[in-house]
Amino acid sequence: MKWIGLLLVLWGTGVAAAERIVTLAPHLAELVCAVGRCEQLVGVAAYTDAPAAAAARPQIGDAFNVNLEAVLQLQPDLILAWDGGTPAAYVPRLRELGLRVESIAVRSLDDIGAALRTTGRLTGAVAGGEDAARQFEARLFALRARYRDRPRLRAFYQTETEPAFSINRRSPIHEALDLCGADNVFADLPTLAAAVGAESVLAARPDVVVYSRQENPAAMARYWARLPGLQPTDARYRVVVDGNTLTRQSPRVLDGIEELCGGLDRVRTLSSGAR
């Protein structure tokens, strides 16, 4: 009866199970695997690094340059594009070649649950998409509940040092900081990412700096040595995270958020002890 019900769902959507799937961004491959269709992946974008089965698939270009010939050779029956990331010209071009292309949008953490359901529907794994979405949403709810009442910290998410850059409120990192109980001191930057001068950092007076372990730690240390009087001059008030995980628009983002929240809690403990 369970299988009959699932078949009826699939027939109701008019979607046949995709057997040869190509994804045009790393997080899309993770969504496909999360709904249980990893074995059907035949091509992925560069920088697809998880899970291992997806990372081993042939690459068809990166998120901004798609090798059309490589895609055609894989004979996909479904291509998943990144709504807002895949260059707009590629989607109609692929369709002109007779290929089925569907776009998936993720703008916020809450969108990931919807994206899992959409991926399940598009790939013929409706039940898998629903299960994955519910698991993600339950874990996200638990994280929000756990960190809702934490004392707020003023946080500077930093990339680069010459000059330093930060992110505004439209970045998924801003949403992660907020969930963990931190206020993004550069939330009002005019663009998604922008350079911030030392004077602006001094004026913002962050309690903590957060940066990716993909950054140069020696360069970060030199940068903060030039800003005496701010708490992150002390290395204990710097939180290092996996930037790839924290920005991945898939269930794995919650691993990055847990790491971020744990680092911020460590800083809270230091700050309370200093008082």
Short mmCIF file of all heavy atoms in Angstrom, two decimals, residues 109 135-150 175-181 246 250-262 265 268:
data_model
loop_
_atom_site.label_atom_id
_atom_site.label_comp_id
_atom_site.label_asym_id
_atom_site.label_seq_id
_atom_site.Cartn_x
_atom_site.Cartn_y
_atom_site.Cartn_z
N LEU A 109 17.44 30.35 5.09
CA LEU A 109 17.48 29.03 5.71
C LEU A 109 16.16 28.30 5.55
O LEU A 109 16.12 27.09 5.28
CB LEU A 109 17.84 29.16 7.19
CG LEU A 109 19.28 29.54 7.53
CD1 LEU A 109 19.41 29.81 9.03
CD2 LEU A 109 20.24 28.45 7.10
N GLN A 135 13.43 16.54 8.43
CA GLN A 135 14.61 16.41 9.27
C GLN A 135 15.36 17.74 9.37
O GLN A 135 15.79 18.16 10.45
CB GLN A 135 15.53 15.33 8.72
CG GLN A 135 15.00 13.92 8.87
CD GLN A 135 15.90 12.89 8.21
OE1 GLN A 135 17.11 13.07 8.13
NE2 GLN A 135 15.30 11.81 7.71
N PHE A 136 15.50 18.41 8.22
CA PHE A 136 16.18 19.71 8.22
C PHE A 136 15.42 20.72 9.07
O PHE A 136 16.01 21.43 9.90
CB PHE A 136 16.30 20.24 6.78
CG PHE A 136 16.81 21.65 6.71
CD1 PHE A 136 18.17 21.92 6.79
CD2 PHE A 136 15.94 22.72 6.59
CE1 PHE A 136 18.64 23.22 6.75
CE2 PHE A 136 16.39 24.03 6.55
CZ PHE A 136 17.75 24.27 6.63
N GLU A 137 14.12 20.79 8.88
CA GLU A 137 13.31 21.78 9.60
C GLU A 137 13.30 21.52 11.10
O GLU A 137 13.32 22.47 11.90
CB GLU A 137 11.90 21.79 9.02
CG GLU A 137 11.85 22.41 7.64
CD GLU A 137 10.59 22.09 6.85
OE1 GLU A 137 9.80 21.23 7.31
OE2 GLU A 137 10.40 22.67 5.77
N ALA A 138 13.29 20.25 11.50
CA ALA A 138 13.33 19.93 12.93
C ALA A 138 14.65 20.36 13.55
O ALA A 138 14.69 20.92 14.66
CB ALA A 138 13.11 18.44 13.14
N ARG A 139 15.73 20.12 12.84
CA ARG A 139 17.05 20.50 13.35
C ARG A 139 17.20 22.02 13.40
O ARG A 139 17.74 22.57 14.37
CB ARG A 139 18.14 19.88 12.48
CG ARG A 139 19.54 20.04 13.02
CD ARG A 139 20.54 19.36 12.10
NE ARG A 139 21.90 19.68 12.50
CZ ARG A 139 22.96 19.49 11.73
NH1 ARG A 139 22.82 18.96 10.52
NH2 ARG A 139 24.18 19.82 12.15
N LEU A 140 16.69 22.72 12.37
CA LEU A 140 16.75 24.18 12.36
C LEU A 140 15.92 24.76 13.50
O LEU A 140 16.36 25.69 14.20
CB LEU A 140 16.24 24.70 11.01
CG LEU A 140 16.14 26.22 10.85
CD1 LEU A 140 17.50 26.87 11.04
CD2 LEU A 140 15.57 26.56 9.46
N PHE A 141 14.75 24.20 13.73
CA PHE A 141 13.90 24.66 14.84
C PHE A 141 14.62 24.50 16.17
O PHE A 141 14.58 25.39 17.03
CB PHE A 141 12.59 23.87 14.84
CG PHE A 141 11.65 24.25 15.95
CD1 PHE A 141 10.77 25.32 15.80
CD2 PHE A 141 11.65 23.55 17.15
CE1 PHE A 141 9.91 25.68 16.83
CE2 PHE A 141 10.80 23.90 18.18
CZ PHE A 141 9.92 24.96 18.02
N ALA A 142 15.27 23.35 16.35
CA ALA A 142 15.98 23.08 17.62
C ALA A 142 17.13 24.07 17.82
O ALA A 142 17.36 24.54 18.94
CB ALA A 142 16.49 21.65 17.62
N LEU A 143 17.86 24.38 16.75
CA LEU A 143 18.95 25.34 16.87
C LEU A 143 18.43 26.72 17.23
O LEU A 143 19.00 27.42 18.08
CB LEU A 143 19.73 25.40 15.56
CG LEU A 143 20.76 24.31 15.31
CD1 LEU A 143 21.28 24.36 13.87
CD2 LEU A 143 21.92 24.42 16.29
N ARG A 144 17.36 27.13 16.59
CA ARG A 144 16.79 28.44 16.90
C ARG A 144 16.32 28.51 18.34
O ARG A 144 16.53 29.53 19.03
CB ARG A 144 15.64 28.74 15.95
CG ARG A 144 16.09 29.16 14.55
CD ARG A 144 14.92 29.30 13.58
NE ARG A 144 15.35 29.97 12.36
CZ ARG A 144 14.70 29.89 11.21
NH1 ARG A 144 13.59 29.15 11.12
NH2 ARG A 144 15.14 30.53 10.16
N ALA A 145 15.70 27.45 18.81
CA ALA A 145 15.22 27.43 20.19
C ALA A 145 16.39 27.47 21.17
O ALA A 145 16.33 28.16 22.20
CB ALA A 145 14.38 26.18 20.43
N ARG A 146 17.46 26.77 20.85
CA ARG A 146 18.60 26.68 21.76
C ARG A 146 19.29 28.02 21.93
O ARG A 146 19.73 28.37 23.04
CB ARG A 146 19.59 25.65 21.23
CG ARG A 146 20.84 25.48 22.08
CD ARG A 146 21.75 24.41 21.51
NE ARG A 146 22.95 24.26 22.30
CZ ARG A 146 23.95 23.45 21.98
NH1 ARG A 146 23.87 22.69 20.88
NH2 ARG A 146 25.03 23.37 22.74
N TYR A 147 19.41 28.80 20.85
CA TYR A 147 20.20 30.03 20.90
C TYR A 147 19.36 31.30 20.95
O TYR A 147 19.91 32.40 20.93
CB TYR A 147 21.15 30.07 19.70
CG TYR A 147 22.24 29.02 19.81
CD1 TYR A 147 22.15 27.82 19.12
CD2 TYR A 147 23.34 29.22 20.64
CE1 TYR A 147 23.13 26.84 19.24
CE2 TYR A 147 24.32 28.25 20.77
CZ TYR A 147 24.21 27.06 20.07
OH TYR A 147 25.17 26.09 20.20
N ARG A 148 18.05 31.16 21.06
CA ARG A 148 17.16 32.32 21.00
C ARG A 148 17.45 33.36 22.07
O ARG A 148 17.39 34.57 21.81
CB ARG A 148 15.71 31.85 21.08
CG ARG A 148 14.69 32.97 20.97
CD ARG A 148 13.28 32.41 20.89
NE ARG A 148 13.09 31.68 19.65
CZ ARG A 148 12.69 30.41 19.56
NH1 ARG A 148 12.45 29.73 20.70
NH2 ARG A 148 12.52 29.82 18.42
N ASP A 149 17.77 32.93 23.26
CA ASP A 149 17.90 33.87 24.38
C ASP A 149 19.35 34.13 24.78
O ASP A 149 19.62 34.62 25.88
CB ASP A 149 17.12 33.33 25.58
CG ASP A 149 15.62 33.24 25.29
OD1 ASP A 149 15.11 34.12 24.57
OD2 ASP A 149 14.99 32.27 25.75
N ARG A 150 20.29 33.82 23.92
CA ARG A 150 21.69 34.09 24.24
C ARG A 150 21.95 35.60 24.30
O ARG A 150 21.37 36.36 23.52
CB ARG A 150 22.62 33.49 23.19
CG ARG A 150 22.70 31.98 23.18
CD ARG A 150 23.41 31.45 24.43
NE ARG A 150 23.89 30.10 24.25
CZ ARG A 150 23.19 28.99 24.49
NH1 ARG A 150 21.94 29.09 24.90
NH2 ARG A 150 23.73 27.80 24.31
N GLU A 175 22.21 35.79 8.42
CA GLU A 175 21.14 35.00 9.03
C GLU A 175 21.70 34.01 10.04
O GLU A 175 21.12 33.79 11.11
CB GLU A 175 20.35 34.27 7.94
CG GLU A 175 19.08 33.62 8.44
CD GLU A 175 18.25 33.00 7.34
OE1 GLU A 175 18.74 32.91 6.19
OE2 GLU A 175 17.12 32.59 7.62
N ALA A 176 22.85 33.41 9.72
CA ALA A 176 23.48 32.47 10.65
C ALA A 176 23.93 33.18 11.92
O ALA A 176 23.74 32.67 13.04
CB ALA A 176 24.67 31.80 9.97
N LEU A 177 24.53 34.36 11.77
CA LEU A 177 24.95 35.13 12.95
C LEU A 177 23.76 35.45 13.84
O LEU A 177 23.82 35.31 15.06
CB LEU A 177 25.64 36.42 12.51
CG LEU A 177 27.04 36.29 11.90
CD1 LEU A 177 27.46 37.61 11.26
CD2 LEU A 177 28.07 35.88 12.95
N ASP A 178 22.68 35.89 13.22
CA ASP A 178 21.49 36.26 13.99
C ASP A 178 20.94 35.06 14.75
O ASP A 178 20.57 35.16 15.92
CB ASP A 178 20.44 36.82 13.04
CG ASP A 178 19.19 37.28 13.77
OD1 ASP A 178 19.30 38.17 14.64
OD2 ASP A 178 18.11 36.74 13.49
N LEU A 179 20.88 33.90 14.10
CA LEU A 179 20.40 32.69 14.77
C LEU A 179 21.24 32.38 16.00
O LEU A 179 20.71 31.98 17.04
CB LEU A 179 20.41 31.52 13.79
CG LEU A 179 19.83 30.19 14.27
CD1 LEU A 179 19.37 29.35 13.09
CD2 LEU A 179 20.81 29.37 15.11
N CYS A 180 22.54 32.59 15.89
CA CYS A 180 23.46 32.26 16.99
C CYS A 180 23.51 33.34 18.07
O CYS A 180 24.27 33.21 19.04
CB CYS A 180 24.86 32.03 16.44
SG CYS A 180 25.04 30.57 15.40
N GLY A 181 22.74 34.41 17.91
CA GLY A 181 22.71 35.45 18.92
C GLY A 181 23.74 36.53 18.73
O GLY A 181 24.24 37.10 19.71
N LEU A 246 29.39 26.85 6.02
CA LEU A 246 28.51 27.89 6.55
C LEU A 246 27.70 28.56 5.44
O LEU A 246 26.60 29.07 5.70
CB LEU A 246 29.32 28.93 7.32
CG LEU A 246 28.54 30.01 8.07
CD1 LEU A 246 27.65 29.38 9.14
CD2 LEU A 246 29.49 31.00 8.72
N SER A 250 22.32 24.00 1.59
CA SER A 250 21.87 22.61 1.69
C SER A 250 21.76 22.27 3.18
O SER A 250 22.15 23.08 4.03
CB SER A 250 22.89 21.69 1.00
OG SER A 250 24.06 21.57 1.80
N PRO A 251 21.27 21.08 3.53
CA PRO A 251 21.20 20.73 4.95
C PRO A 251 22.53 20.86 5.68
O PRO A 251 22.56 21.07 6.90
CB PRO A 251 20.70 19.28 4.93
CG PRO A 251 19.87 19.21 3.69
CD PRO A 251 20.60 20.06 2.69
N ARG A 252 23.65 20.75 4.95
CA ARG A 252 24.96 20.81 5.59
C ARG A 252 25.23 22.17 6.21
O ARG A 252 26.11 22.30 7.08
CB ARG A 252 26.04 20.46 4.56
CG ARG A 252 27.42 20.22 5.17
CD ARG A 252 28.27 19.37 4.24
NE ARG A 252 28.51 19.99 2.96
CZ ARG A 252 29.69 20.52 2.59
NH1 ARG A 252 30.71 20.50 3.42
NH2 ARG A 252 29.83 21.03 1.39
N VAL A 253 24.50 23.22 5.80
CA VAL A 253 24.70 24.54 6.38
C VAL A 253 24.51 24.51 7.90
O VAL A 253 25.14 25.28 8.64
CB VAL A 253 23.77 25.59 5.74
CG1 VAL A 253 22.32 25.36 6.13
CG2 VAL A 253 24.19 27.01 6.11
N LEU A 254 23.66 23.60 8.37
CA LEU A 254 23.42 23.54 9.82
C LEU A 254 24.65 23.07 10.58
O LEU A 254 24.84 23.43 11.74
CB LEU A 254 22.22 22.64 10.11
CG LEU A 254 20.88 23.11 9.52
CD1 LEU A 254 19.75 22.22 9.99
CD2 LEU A 254 20.60 24.57 9.87
N ASP A 255 25.51 22.28 9.93
CA ASP A 255 26.78 21.92 10.57
C ASP A 255 27.64 23.17 10.77
O ASP A 255 28.27 23.35 11.81
CB ASP A 255 27.55 20.91 9.71
CG ASP A 255 26.83 19.58 9.57
OD1 ASP A 255 26.01 19.26 10.46
OD2 ASP A 255 27.10 18.86 8.59
N GLY A 256 27.65 24.03 9.75
CA GLY A 256 28.41 25.27 9.85
C GLY A 256 27.84 26.19 10.91
O GLY A 256 28.59 26.85 11.64
N ILE A 257 26.51 26.25 11.00
CA ILE A 257 25.88 27.11 12.00
C ILE A 257 26.17 26.60 13.41
O ILE A 257 26.42 27.38 14.33
CB ILE A 257 24.37 27.21 11.73
CG1 ILE A 257 24.14 28.04 10.45
CG2 ILE A 257 23.65 27.85 12.91
CD1 ILE A 257 22.70 28.11 10.02
N GLU A 258 26.14 25.29 13.60
CA GLU A 258 26.47 24.73 14.92
C GLU A 258 27.89 25.10 15.32
O GLU A 258 28.15 25.44 16.48
CB GLU A 258 26.29 23.22 14.91
CG GLU A 258 24.84 22.78 14.99
CD GLU A 258 24.70 21.30 15.28
OE1 GLU A 258 25.66 20.54 15.01
OE2 GLU A 258 23.63 20.89 15.76
N GLU A 259 28.82 25.03 14.36
CA GLU A 259 30.20 25.40 14.65
C GLU A 259 30.28 26.88 15.02
O GLU A 259 30.97 27.27 15.98
CB GLU A 259 31.09 25.10 13.45
CG GLU A 259 32.56 25.43 13.68
CD GLU A 259 33.43 25.17 12.47
OE1 GLU A 259 32.96 25.40 11.33
OE2 GLU A 259 34.59 24.76 12.66
N LEU A 260 29.59 27.73 14.26
CA LEU A 260 29.58 29.16 14.54
C LEU A 260 29.00 29.45 15.92
O LEU A 260 29.59 30.21 16.71
CB LEU A 260 28.77 29.88 13.46
CG LEU A 260 28.49 31.37 13.70
CD1 LEU A 260 29.79 32.17 13.68
CD2 LEU A 260 27.52 31.91 12.66
N CYS A 261 27.85 28.86 16.22
CA CYS A 261 27.22 29.11 17.52
C CYS A 261 28.11 28.66 18.67
O CYS A 261 28.20 29.33 19.71
CB CYS A 261 25.88 28.38 17.59
SG CYS A 261 24.59 29.02 16.50
N GLY A 262 28.78 27.53 18.50
CA GLY A 262 29.69 27.05 19.54
C GLY A 262 30.84 28.02 19.77
O GLY A 262 31.23 28.28 20.92
N ASP A 265 29.55 31.04 21.64
CA ASP A 265 29.34 30.72 23.05
C ASP A 265 30.66 30.74 23.82
O ASP A 265 30.71 31.17 24.98
CB ASP A 265 28.68 29.34 23.19
CG ASP A 265 27.17 29.43 23.33
OD1 ASP A 265 26.63 30.56 23.35
OD2 ASP A 265 26.53 28.37 23.42
N ARG A 268 31.33 34.25 24.61
CA ARG A 268 30.46 34.72 25.70
C ARG A 268 31.01 34.30 27.05
O ARG A 268 30.98 35.07 28.02
CB ARG A 268 29.05 34.16 25.52
CG ARG A 268 28.27 34.78 24.39
CD ARG A 268 26.81 34.32 24.40
NE ARG A 268 26.12 34.85 23.24
CZ ARG A 268 25.99 34.19 22.07
NH1 ARG A 268 26.49 32.97 21.95
NH2 ARG A 268 25.36 34.76 21.06
#
